[in-house]
Amino acid sequence: MVNPPALPAPPQPQGHYVPASRAGDLVATAGMTPRVDGRLAITGRVGDVVDLEEARRGAAIAASNALSAVVDAVGGLDQVLGLARLTVYVHAASGFTEHTAVADAATDALVTHLGERGRCARSAVGVASLPGDAPVEVELTAHVR
């Protein structure tokens, strides 16, 4: 079996909040955007200046950031029993309808790191804007030890 790629460093909050909050055996993340080293790697509206493949890349980065926040909160990937819920917000241009294709890349990133534990219930939602002009934002709820 091939080892999955390393998770990014835990994201740093961009305001007055925590990246992840634990309540019993659940951890919920703040909204995570496609930040790499604290900076947005991709900006713009999907279906306008951001094409589908770039949006998918952004969703994978954002999902990896969310999982990294969970792992940091619980002390290791082995503490994550599974995922309960994933919400992918897509900063979509009028007429863009491939929200699930964008969200699939977030799911794929989670499955890369967690195997079948990375599959969960999911929503893909189109929105008019996101912080910093991010193309996607991801929220994750995990079931942990």
Side-chain angles (χ1 to χ4, degrees), residues 17 19 28 34 36 38 40-41 43 48-49 55 57 75-76 85 87 89 91-92 95 97 106 119-120 136 139:
Y17 62 91
V36 175
L40 281 171
T43 59
D48 186 10
V49 298
R57 187 171 75 86
R85 181 128 186 90
T87 304
Y89 300 95
H91 175 195
T97 60
R119 296 192 188 283
C120 62
V136 296
E139 293 176 344

Side-chain angles (χ1 to χ4, degrees), residues 63-135:
S64 295
N65 286 342
L67 183 57
S68 180
V70 170
V71 167
D72 189 55
V74 299
L77 195 59
D78 62 327
Q79 299 300 304
V80 180
L81 298 173
L83 303 179
R85 181 128 186 90
L86 170 65
T87 304
V88 179
Y89 300 95
V90 181
H91 175 195
S94 178
F96 181 81
T97 60
E98 297 182 78
H99 303 76
T100 58
V102 175
D104 284 343
T107 302
D108 292 347
L110 296 170
V111 170
T112 294
H113 292 289
L114 293 169
E116 287 303 307
R117 296 179 295 153
R119 296 192 188 283
C120 62
R122 180 187 86 192
S123 295
V125 181
V127 297
S129 66
L130 287 170
D133 199 28

Side-chain angles (χ1 to χ4, degrees), residues 10-34:
Q12 296 301 306
Q14 301 296 309
H16 300 287
Y17 62 91
V18 295
S21 179
R22 184 173 185 161
D25 64 354
L26 293 177
V27 173
T29 70
M32 298 290 169
T33 54

